[in-house]
Amino acid sequence: MNARTRAHGSRPTLHDVAREAQVSARTVSRVLNDEPRISAPTRERVLQAVARLGYRRNAMARNMRVGARDSAVGLVIPDLANPFFSVVAAAVERTLRTRGLYVVIASSEEDPARERAVVTDMLGRQVAALVVVPSGDDHAYLRLERRRGLPVVFLDRPPNRLAADAFVSANTDGAHQAVTHLLAHGHRRIGFIGDRPTTLYTRRERFRGYRSALAQAGIAVDPALVDRGHHENDAAEATVRLLSAVDPPTAVFAANNLACMGAMMALARARRRDVALVGFDDFTLADVFDPGITVVAQDPHGLGTAAAERVFARLDGDRGRARTTVLATRLIVRGSGEISAS
Amino acid sequence: MNARTRAHGSRPTLHDVAREAQVSARTVSRVLNDEPRISAPTRERVLQAVARLGYRRNAMARNMRVGARDSAVGLVIPDLANPFFSVVAAAVERTLRTRGLYVVIASSEEDPARERAVVTDMLGRQVAALVVVPSGDDHAYLRLERRRGLPVVFLDRPPNRLAADAFVSANTDGAHQAVTHLLAHGHRRIGFIGDRPTTLYTRRERFRGYRSALAQAGIAVDPALVDRGHHENDAAEATVRLLSAVDPPTAVFAANNLACMGAMMALARARRRDVALVGFDDFTLADVFDPGITVVAQDPHGLGTAAAERVFARLDGDRGRARTTVLATRLIVRGSGEISAS
DNA sequence: TAGAAGCATGTCAACGTTGACACACGTTGA
DNA sequence: TCAACGTGTGTCAACGTTGACATGCTTCTA
């Protein structure tokens, strides 16, 4: 069987090219790596053989031989279809690509066990680094890898039981600002719609901001005004529940993007234009609504970019202490948050 | 240097574990692969050594030895941050994960050269399959790989100069339906806002539907009503241009999701509630606007899922002819498309 | 004109893993 | 009693590539 008639599915190797070009495999390797001291005719013959056979260097074998890790970075994210995370992922990918790094993506679907499974798998794949939006509550199992020099960067939420780099939004501040804004417009009963697992880091932090803003106005949290729902529909139902309570809220703080969309749906369906709304996380078209939706904007692109850049720094040998960086949020006033209490 | 004090950055190998457990590397390998005929005490010692050293099997080396390809599928996509593509990507990832396959993502940014570069790179990485939303106009270079049995599936747009599986939306039909809908509401001057590179497959197909629907009504395409803009802002500017023309359109067909958002922005800013609008591709909150946005919905989730399933079929040995599958679109009537011509 | 120097190429082993095969023990059965 | 068998383990080579080193040939120089 000559090299040109290899079995289905197999691909030519250096040796096949070597045979075809009548040189040694080492010489082919040199040509492919642009090493010096190759005569022009030899180079030519090798390149022609490469073209004839459709040869492609096996990066797996190469990386193994040269002791390199994979040229991919593992990215573990709860849900790629969520616009917040997809923008984060796009930013991570875009930044890593400037250095020739690829991204291996896996969704954890907010399942700690799944998260750990995919992370473990990625470690076995020899990824060059790990970027994680964590769902789990114990990342101690990554301690050894980190000590061995693997860059591990957490995004949107910090790690637990592990010192590692992290980039998060100013959740508490942002929420505080949002609720203070509503208070300034005369609201005293402000609903809170947050994530379903109330233990989720972002939900906890944002709730803290909600509570502290209320406290500053001398208002205690009324559990009847706190509801949950991660998906739009859950959040819409939660909004309906809140509004149909005995003493309903005059304003709603939706603590994440989907919650905000759900609240918008519910308010639109109920034609309640008198209820103020401030969302956490900006989204496309927020300004096209009437009234425009007032939000606390995060910087998903900045989060992703910063995480990728920290990966670069760590790959470049930065062995400094792990740092958690907080990215500022920004209140964008558009109308829905400025509806006054009736 | 014993195994526990290896240099920074290096990770223990089978041999390190073997030394630690006082057995041969082959035995460690057997334990890790759950091969039969390992005595209980040996297995125990090996597992303890593995735990002590924090050993993890090197998947790269393993795949090489067993001749397997990488357990990742390459996904090449124009822009992960575009909600249409992010949903597609999420569906691909979700489906592939059911079989333990990972996704390596690379953005092509609608650049054919970049697309080709990342595809070539992925082939070198020994990806198990390739899923591509193509921007290039020549995929002949993939012919050999396909012949060697590599599953290559195109998404959203078909390949050029290559027979390969593809999953696309019913672009022409959908556009035809959208424009016919507007015609039915009395519009005779209907604007078209599509992608910037007018050669883009989806833009061409949708334009065909636009033209044929007009033709059916005995109307010729008026170039003054055709504009472009891929990003929201471009599309918004295009909309403004159209509306300020001498004989402006009374309705707009926005041939992609960003174009539609741009048109919405422009109409909202100009407070033009008399202009009908139908968009191509559905989006969150489309029904929350007043009026709701009438769209031709695609099925991004279905596209991604179907592509991943075709990958499975091909991996399972399906050597049938390459097929292009067209997924139906669906007109969703919400109000903006039912504004009558004045 | 011999020895040094440089160029072009080749040989061998190794990266970390596992398939193929070998072997040293029991145990079993005629 | 010993051949046949089963069990647990080890040895070796190979996957496709490249680093280290070797070798043969040309060219230059004293």
Side-chain angles (χ1 to χ4, degrees):
Chain A
M1 170 174 96
N2 87 23
R4 234 174 298 190
T5 59
R6 300 172 63 98
H8 204 85
S10 79
R11 297 170 61 172
T13 71
L14 264 188
H15 290 91
D16 298 317
V17 178
R19 204 174 314 121
E20 180 84 7
Q22 318 226 53
V23 295
S24 74
R26 192 64 187 82
T27 297
V28 178
S29 170
R30 280 195 262 257
V31 171
L32 267 70
N33 290 304
D34 269 322
E35 290 180 34
R37 285 187 215 160
I38 297 290
S39 71
T42 302
R43 146 170 280 115
E44 194 48 38
R45 250 181 325 138
V46 168
L47 291 179
Q48 285 185 3
V50 164
R52 262 201 305 282
L53 300 184
Y55 169 80
R56 244 181 261 284
R57 184 166 59 194
N58 184 327
M60 227 156 67
R62 172 172 221 277
N63 284 339
M64 208 185 94
R65 173 64 241 240
V66 304
R69 306 191 62 91
D70 191 1
S71 64
V73 169
L75 173 60
V76 181
I77 222 161
D79 175 18
L80 238 198
N82 182 316
F84 175 76
F85 294 124
S86 75
V87 170
V88 168
V92 169
E93 194 270 343
R94 192 185 226 286
T95 309
L96 290 177
R97 282 288 295 148
T98 63
R99 290 254 213 134
L101 287 173
Y102 284 82
V103 174
V104 183
I105 284 199
S107 294
S108 62
E109 280 160 28
E110 297 286 11
D111 175 350
R114 190 183 171 81
E115 169 185 322
R116 177 153 180 174
V118 301
V119 165
T120 302
D121 227 72
M122 284 177 168
L123 293 172
R125 297 174 54 88
Q126 313 293 107
V127 289
L130 220 37
V131 177
V132 183
V133 177
S135 304
D137 59 355
D138 184 0
H139 301 97
Y141 68 99
L142 282 169
R143 202 164 285 158
L144 192 52
E145 299 292 338
R146 252 186 61 78
R147 207 146 42 208
R148 286 187 184 134
L150 184 80
V152 179
V153 178
F154 286 77
L155 251 183
D156 188 49
R157 314 162 187 174
N160 287 108
R161 296 178 23 75
L162 177 75
D165 290 315
F167 293 87
V168 301
S169 290
N171 291 293
T172 308
D173 273 12
H176 185 98
Q177 202 177 352
V179 175
T180 300
H181 186 72
L182 289 169
L183 288 164
H185 285 272
H187 298 280
R188 316 306 287 170
R189 295 191 60 71
I190 301 173
F192 178 97
I193 301 181
D195 279 288
R196 226 216 353 250
T198 53
T199 52
L200 199 70
Y201 170 78
T202 46
R203 130 90 214 204
R204 286 202 322 264
E205 295 289 301
R206 293 170 196 174
F207 188 74
R208 285 211 302 143
Y210 168 77
R211 188 172 47 206
S212 73
L214 290 181
Q216 244 170 44
I219 303 175
V221 169
D222 178 352
L225 294 183
V226 176
D227 212 323
R228 56 181 78 162
H230 189 79
H231 296 293
E232 297 101 307
N233 293 335
D234 304 349
E237 288 170 21
T239 306
V240 170
R241 277 195 297 275
L242 287 185
L243 293 179
S244 56
V246 184
D247 190 4
T250 60
V252 171
F253 171 51
N256 65 60
N257 57 355
L258 302 185
C260 182
M261 295 177 187
M264 289 170 63
M265 291 175 182
L267 293 179
R269 282 189 208 123
R271 307 197 177 283
R272 291 292 301 268
R273 299 182 56 92
D274 59 319
V275 179
L277 173 67
V278 176
F280 203 106
D281 194 26
D282 199 10
F283 53 94
T284 325
L285 298 182
D287 56 332
V288 177
F289 286 90
D290 175 29
I293 307 300
T294 295
V295 300
V296 175
Q298 303 187 75
D299 184 5
H301 188 270
L303 283 170
T305 304
E309 277 165 359
R310 179 63 54 85
V311 165
F312 289 156
R314 294 299 185 185
L315 285 176
D316 290 344
D318 175 353
R319 294 271 175 272
R321 272 194 63 214
R323 278 167 295 161
T324 293
T325 306
V326 178
L327 273 75
T329 54
R330 189 166 54 94
L331 182 75
I332 303 181
V333 171
R334 295 200 178 105
S336 74
E338 295 71 53
I339 295 169
S340 294
S342 46
Chain B
M1 168 175 100
N2 86 25
R4 235 173 298 192
T5 56
R6 300 173 61 100
H8 204 83
S10 79
R11 297 169 60 172
T13 71
L14 265 188
H15 291 91
D16 298 318
V17 178
R19 204 175 313 121
E20 181 85 7
Q22 317 225 54
V23 294
S24 75
R26 192 64 187 81
T27 298
V28 177
S29 170
R30 280 195 262 259
V31 171
L32 268 77
N33 291 302
D34 269 323
E35 290 181 34
R37 284 184 216 164
I38 298 289
S39 72
T42 302
R43 144 169 282 114
E44 195 47 40
R45 251 183 323 139
V46 168
L47 292 179
Q48 283 185 5
V50 164
R52 263 201 305 282
L53 299 184
Y55 168 80
R56 244 182 263 283
R57 183 165 61 194
N58 184 326
M60 227 156 66
R62 173 173 220 276
N63 285 338
M64 207 185 92
R65 173 65 243 239
V66 305
R69 305 191 63 90
D70 190 2
S71 64
V73 169
L75 174 60
V76 181
I77 221 159
D79 175 17
L80 239 197
N82 181 316
F84 174 76
F85 293 124
S86 75
V87 170
V88 167
V92 169
E93 194 270 342
R94 190 186 229 284
T95 308
L96 290 177
R97 282 289 294 148
T98 63
R99 290 254 212 133
L101 287 173
Y102 284 82
V103 174
V104 183
I105 284 200
S107 294
S108 61
E109 281 160 29
E110 298 284 12
D111 176 350
R114 190 183 169 82
E115 169 185 322
R116 178 154 179 171
V118 301
V119 165
T120 302
D121 227 72
M122 283 177 169
L123 293 172
R125 298 172 54 87
Q126 312 294 108
V127 289
L130 220 37
V131 177
V132 183
V133 177
S135 303
D137 58 356
D138 185 359
H139 301 96
Y141 67 99
L142 282 167
R143 201 164 284 158
L144 192 52
E145 299 292 338
R146 253 187 59 80
R147 209 148 40 211
R148 285 185 185 137
L150 183 80
V152 180
V153 178
F154 286 78
L155 250 182
D156 188 48
R157 314 164 187 173
N160 286 107
R161 295 177 27 72
L162 177 75
D165 291 314
F167 293 87
V168 301
S169 291
N171 291 294
T172 308
D173 273 13
H176 185 97
Q177 202 179 352
V179 175
T180 300
H181 185 73
L182 289 169
L183 288 164
H185 285 272
H187 298 280
R188 317 304 288 169
R189 295 191 61 72
I190 302 173
F192 177 97
I193 301 181
D195 279 287
R196 228 224 342 258
T198 52
T199 52
L200 200 70
Y201 171 78
T202 45
R203 131 89 214 204
R204 285 201 323 264
E205 294 288 301
R206 293 170 195 173
F207 188 74
R208 284 211 303 143
Y210 167 76
R211 188 171 46 204
S212 73
L214 289 181
Q216 245 171 42
I219 302 175
V221 169
D222 179 350
L225 294 184
V226 177
D227 212 323
R228 56 182 76 163
H230 190 80
H231 297 293
E232 297 101 307
N233 292 336
D234 305 347
E237 289 170 20
T239 307
V240 170
R241 277 195 297 275
L242 287 185
L243 293 179
S244 55
V246 184
D247 190 3
T250 59
V252 171
F253 171 50
N256 67 59
N257 59 354
L258 302 186
C260 182
M261 294 177 187
M264 291 169 63
M265 292 175 180
L267 293 178
R269 282 188 209 125
R271 305 197 180 283
R272 292 293 299 269
R273 299 182 56 91
D274 58 320
V275 179
L277 174 66
V278 176
F280 203 106
D281 195 25
D282 200 11
F283 54 93
T284 324
L285 299 182
D287 56 332
V288 177
F289 287 90
D290 177 29
I293 307 300
T294 295
V295 299
V296 175
Q298 303 187 75
D299 183 5
H301 187 271
L303 282 170
T305 304
E309 278 166 358
R310 179 63 54 85
V311 166
F312 290 157
R314 295 297 184 185
L315 286 175
D316 291 345
D318 176 352
R319 292 273 175 273
R321 273 194 62 215
R323 277 169 293 162
T324 293
T325 306
V326 178
L327 273 76
T329 54
R330 190 166 54 95
L331 181 76
I332 303 182
V333 171
R334 295 200 177 105
S336 74
E338 294 72 53
I339 295 170
S340 294
S342 44

